[in-house]
C-alpha cells in the first residue's frame, strides 16, 4: 500500500513492505503466479547483467569496469522492478511521464556522449558540417542507450501498472467482504437490540411483581400470567435467531405478549385480532418487526392514557398478491411534530433488506377517533421466494 | 405509641401496587395507607386531598411521572418524604444515595423495604429536605410514559356549539368533582375534564395550581393578599372575583 498504517517515514515503510514481500516469496505463499513474475525479473536482471558484462568487455576490454557495469545494471534493474512492485503509484500517471522524460534525457545525453567520443566533431568546422557531425554521432551513439532505457522503462511501468490493477482488485474484494461483514454485523446488532428490548427490565420486573403478588395472595391470575410470560420469552428467543419467520409464528408471539400485558393492565388494555390464517401461514418476514410495532402501540399509544384504550390487529390478503397488516390503537396518538425513533428506522431497514421496494410501512393518525394506525403492506408475492435468493443470509 | 403515619402509594399496575401495599402493611402496621393511586394525576390529586407524610411513587406512570409528581409535592408547604419504586436500577439512581431520597426496586423485597421504612421513620422527625434541585436533575431520566403536554385547544360544548378555547386566553379553571369551569376572555364554559387531568396537559409554568380545585393563568394574577395566618387570596387583572390559595400553595407567593 502507498502509505503504511502507522505513518512510518517512507523509507522505513518501503523497507518493511520489501521485507514482507520477500518473506512471502521465500515461504512460497503466493503461488506460482507471483513467483513467476519474480523469476522473470531475476532472469531479466541476470541476463541483462551478463549482456552488459559482455558488451563492456568487448568494447573496452576492461574486466573490472565490465564487472562493475554488469553488477550495477543487475542491481539497478532488480531495484527498479522491486520498487515498481512495492510502490506502483510512483510509476503511474504523472510520475511515469516525468520518469520517462528524465530517462529519455539521460539516455540521450549518454548516447550523445558515446557517439561523440567515437566520432568527435571538430569545433572549428562550419556549422553545417558540425550539424552533420552531430547527426552522425547521434546515429552511432543514440539508438542503443535509448532503446535500452525505454525497454527497461516499459518493463518497469508495465510491472507497476499490473501491480496497481492487482491491488485494485484486492481492494475491491476486501471492500465487498467488508460490506458483507458489515451487513452481518448490522443484522446481529439488530437482533441483539430486539432481544434486549424483549428482555427489558421494566417489562420483566413489572410482570414478576404482578406474579409475585398474585402468588402471595393465592390469586388464580398468577398461573396463566406465568405461562404467558414463559411462552413469550421462549418464543422471542427462538424466533429472533432465525433470519425469517412466518407471519403466523410472529403473530402467535404477539399474542403471548398481549396476554402478558393484559394480565398486568387489566381493563386498561382491550384488544382484538382479525387474522386470515392461510395468509399468515404463507407470508414470511424478518422476526420481531410486528412485535415491535405492537409494543410501540402499547407503550406510546395506550400506556399514557389514564383509562386505557383498544388495540386492533388485522391481517388480510391483498387481491393482487401480497398482504396487509393493520395495527390500530385508540390511545393518545402521534404528537405534533412527532419523529420516528430508532426502532422504527431499524424495522424499515430490515424490511427494505428483505423485501426491497415491495414492502411499505406507514404510520398515521386514526381517522375515526384518537390513536394511531400502522399499516404494513407487501405488494406482490408472499415473500416466500425471497428465501431462495436473499443475497445476505445472516446466520 | 407512634401515631399512624399517613402514607400514599402510587403505581399504574395493579400487581406491583397491591404487592407494595401488602408488604407495607406487613412490615410496618403504623403506616396508614390513605390512598393507592392508579396514575400520576390521581397521585397528585390524592396528595392534595389527604396530605400524606410519606409517598411511595412508581416512576413510570401515565399522566404525570413519579418524578413530576414528586416535584409538585416538593413545592408545596408541607412536602412529604418520598420513596421511589422502580423496576430496575439506573445509574441515575446513584443520585438517590445522597440520602435525600430513597428508592426500592420491584418486585419489592421485604429486607430492602424495611430498610427504607427505617430511614423514613428517622427522617420523619425532621422536615423533608429540599428536593427541587435533585428532582429537576432526575426529570429527564424518567423515560416517561407520560404524554407530552400538548398545547391544544380546549373544546367546550355549549348547547349546539362547541367553543374552541385557546389555553392562553383562559384566566382560570375552577372545578368541583364532575365539571370544570373555564373562565376566559370572552366568557365562561363548562367542560367535563376534571382539573387534575387538565393540569397534566397544560404548561405548568403558565398555569399555577393554587388550590386543589383552582388552576390560574399566572399572567392574570394581579396580586396575592394575605387575609390572615391561614388564608390567602388572589386578585385578578381586570376582574372582580378573588381566588382562594390553599395553605399548601401559599409558598408560591413570597415577596422578593
Amino acid at each position: 500500500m502507498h502509505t503504511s498504517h502507522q505513518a512510518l517515514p517512507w523509507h522505513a515503510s518501503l523497507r518493511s513492505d520489501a521485507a514482507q514481500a520477500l518473506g512471502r516469496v521465500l515461504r512460497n505463499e503466493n503461488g506460482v503466479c507471483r513467483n513467476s513474475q519474480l523469476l522473470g525479473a531475476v532472469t531479466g536482471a541476470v541476463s541483462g547483467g551478463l549482456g552488459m558484462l559482455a558488451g563492456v568487455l568487448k568494447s573496452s576490454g576492461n574486466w573490472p569496469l565490465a564487472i562493475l557495469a554488469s553488477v550495477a545494471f543487475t542491481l539497478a534493474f532488480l531495484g527498479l522492478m522491486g520498487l515498481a512492485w512495492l510502490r506502483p503509484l510512483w510509476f503511474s500517471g504523472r510520475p511515469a511521464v516525468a520518469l520517462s522524460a528524465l530517462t529519455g534525457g539521460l539516455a540521450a545525453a549518454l548516447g550523445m556522449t558515446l557517439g561523440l567520443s567515437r566520432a568527435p566533431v571538430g569545433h572549428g568546422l562550419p556549422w553545417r558540417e558540425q550539424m552533420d557531425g552531430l547527426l552522425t554521432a547521434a546515429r552511432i551513439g543514440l539508438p542503443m542507450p535509448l532503446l535500452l532505457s525505454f525497454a527497461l522503462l516499459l518493463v518497469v511501468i508495465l510491472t507497476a501498472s499490473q501491480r496497481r490493477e492487482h491491488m485494485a482488485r484486492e481492494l475491491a474484494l476486501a471492500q465487498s467482504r467488508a460490506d458483507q461483514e458489515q451487513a452481518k454485523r448490522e443484522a446481529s446488532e439488530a437482533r441483539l437490540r430486539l432481544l434486549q428490548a424483549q428482555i427489558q427490565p421494566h417489562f420483566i420486573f413489572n410482570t414478576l411483581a404482578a406474579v409475585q403478588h398474585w402468588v402471595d395472595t393465592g390469586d388464580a391470575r398468577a398461573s396463566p400470567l406465568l405461562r404467558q410470560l414463559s411462552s413469550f420469552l421462549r418464543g422471542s428467543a427462538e424466533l429472533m435467531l432465525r433470519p425469517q419467520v412466518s407471519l403466523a409464528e410472529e403473530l402467535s408471539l404477539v399474542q403471548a405478549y398481549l396476554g402478558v400485558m393484559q394480565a398486568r393492565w387489566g381493563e386498561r388494555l382491550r384488544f382484538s385480532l382479525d387474522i386470515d390464517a392461510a395468509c399468515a401461514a404463507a407470508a414470511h418476514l424478518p422476526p420481531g418487526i410486528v412485535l415491535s410495532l405492537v409494543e410501540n402501540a402499547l407503550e406510546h399509544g395506550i400506556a399514557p392514557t389514564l383509562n386505557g384504550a383498544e388495540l386492533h390487529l388485522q391481517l388480510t390478503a391483498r387481491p393482487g398478491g401480497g398482504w396487509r397488516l393493520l395495527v390500530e390503537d385508540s390511545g393518545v396518538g402521534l404528537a405534533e411534530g412527532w419523529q420516528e425513533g430508532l426502532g422504527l428506522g431499524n424495522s424499515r431497514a430490515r424490511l427494505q433488506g428483505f423485501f426491497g421496494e415491495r414492502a411499505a410501512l406507514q404510520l398515521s393518525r386514526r381517522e375515526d377517533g384518537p390513536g394511531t394506525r400502522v399499516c404494513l403492506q407487501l405488494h406482490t408475492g408472499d415473500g416466500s421466494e425471497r428465501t431462495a435468493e436473499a443475497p445476505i443470509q445472516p446466520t | 405509641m407512634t401515631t399512624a403515619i399517613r402514607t400514599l402509594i402510587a403505581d399504574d399496575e395493579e400487581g406491583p401496587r397491591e404487592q407494595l401495599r401488602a408488604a407495607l402493611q406487613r412490615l410496618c402496621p403504623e403506616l396508614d395507607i390513605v390512598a393507592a393511586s392508579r396514575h400520576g394525576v390521581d397521585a397528585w390529586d390524592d396528595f392534595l386531598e389527604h396530605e400524606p407524610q410519606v409517598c411511595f411513587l412508581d416512576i413510570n406512570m401515565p399522566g404525570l411521572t413519579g418524578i413530576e409528581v414528586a416535584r409538585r409535592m416538593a413545592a408545596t408547604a408541607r412536602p412529604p418524604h418520598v420513596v421511589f419504586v422502580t423496576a430496575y436500577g439506573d445509574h441515575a439512581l446513584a443520585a438517590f444515595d445522597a440520602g435525600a431520597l430513597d428508592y426500592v426496586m420491584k418486585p419489592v423485597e421485604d429486607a430492602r423495604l424495611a430498610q427504607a421504612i427505617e430511614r423514613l421513620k428517622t427522617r420523619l422527625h425532621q422536615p423533608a429536605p429540599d428536593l427541587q434541585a435533585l428532582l429537576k436533575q432526575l426529570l429527564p431520566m424518567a423515560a416517561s410514559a407520560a404524554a407530552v403536554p400538548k398545547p391544544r385547544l380546549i373544546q367546550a360544548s355549549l348547547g349546539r356549539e362547541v367553543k374552541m378555547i385557546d389555553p392562553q386566553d383562559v384566566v382560570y379553571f375552577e372545578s368541583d368533582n364532575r365539571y370544570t369551569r373555564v373562565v376566559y376572555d370572552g366568557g365562561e364554559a363548562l367542560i367535563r375534564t376534571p382539573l387534575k387531568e387538565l393540569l397534566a396537559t397544560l404548561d405548568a409554568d403558565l398555569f399555577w395550581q393554587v388550590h386543589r380545585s383552582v388552576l390560574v393563568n399566572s399572567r392574570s394574577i394581579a396580586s396575592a393578599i394575605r387575609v390572615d395566618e391561614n388564608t390567602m387570596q388572589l386578585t385578578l387583572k381586570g376582574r372582580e372575583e378573588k381566588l382562594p390559595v390553599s395553605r399548601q400553595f401559599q409558598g408560591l407567593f413570597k415577596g422578593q
Side-chain angles (χ1 to χ4, degrees), chain A residues 47-234:
Chain A
S47 24
L50 287 176
M52 184 68 106
L53 183 73
V56 175
L57 201 58
K58 182 165 190 291
S59 69
S60 66
N62 189 341
W63 270 99
L65 182 66
I67 293 181
L68 183 67
S70 135
V71 170
F73 177 82
T74 311
L75 287 178
F77 185 71
L78 275 178
L80 266 181
M81 290 299 280
L83 261 184
W85 177 257
L86 292 169
R87 291 283 181 271
L89 290 173
W90 291 0
F91 299 93
S92 323
R94 257 177 279 163
V97 173
L99 191 64
S100 310
L102 187 68
T103 313
L106 279 176
L110 185 66
M112 280 310 286
T113 315
L114 281 176
L116 284 173
S117 71
R118 296 259 178 82
V121 177
H123 291 276
L125 295 173
W127 71 268
R128 202 179 269 148
E129 280 169 24
Q130 279 198 19
M131 285 298 296
D132 283 337
L134 279 173
L135 281 172
T136 314
R139 241 187 312 124
I140 296 176
L142 279 184
M144 276 316 285
L146 278 180
L147 203 67
L148 183 66
S149 62
F150 276 113
L152 274 179
L153 203 61
L154 192 69
V155 169
V156 167
I157 289 184
L158 275 178
T159 306
S161 100
Q162 189 200 44
R163 172 76 164 137
R164 226 188 34 254
E165 264 175 39
H166 184 258
M167 276 163 54
R169 268 202 307 276
E170 277 197 337
L171 188 64
L173 193 63
Q175 186 71 18
S176 92
R177 254 191 248 122
D179 284 342
Q180 276 195 337
E181 285 302 319
Q182 168 90 341
K184 270 193 213 164
R185 232 197 348 261
E186 274 178 356
S188 311
E189 272 171 25
R191 254 180 283 127
L192 185 64
R193 260 200 302 269
L194 277 167
L195 272 172
Q196 280 176 331
Q198 257 57 285
I199 312 179
Q200 61 184 338
H202 191 246
F203 173 78
I204 293 272
F205 289 116
N206 271 309
T207 307
L208 287 177
V211 172
Q212 179 75 61
H213 175 65
W214 288 334
V215 165
D216 288 341
T217 53
D219 195 312
R221 290 178 279 185
S223 181
L225 177 55
L226 205 47
R227 218 178 292 274
Q228 295 269 37
L229 178 65
S230 310
S231 160
F232 172 71
L233 289 176
R234 197 178 324 115

Side-chain angles (χ1 to χ4, degrees), chain A residues 306-322:
Chain A
L306 294 177
N307 299 312
E310 284 90 29
L311 177 81
H312 183 63
L313 243 77
Q314 186 191 54
L315 175 70
T316 48
R318 286 167 59 93

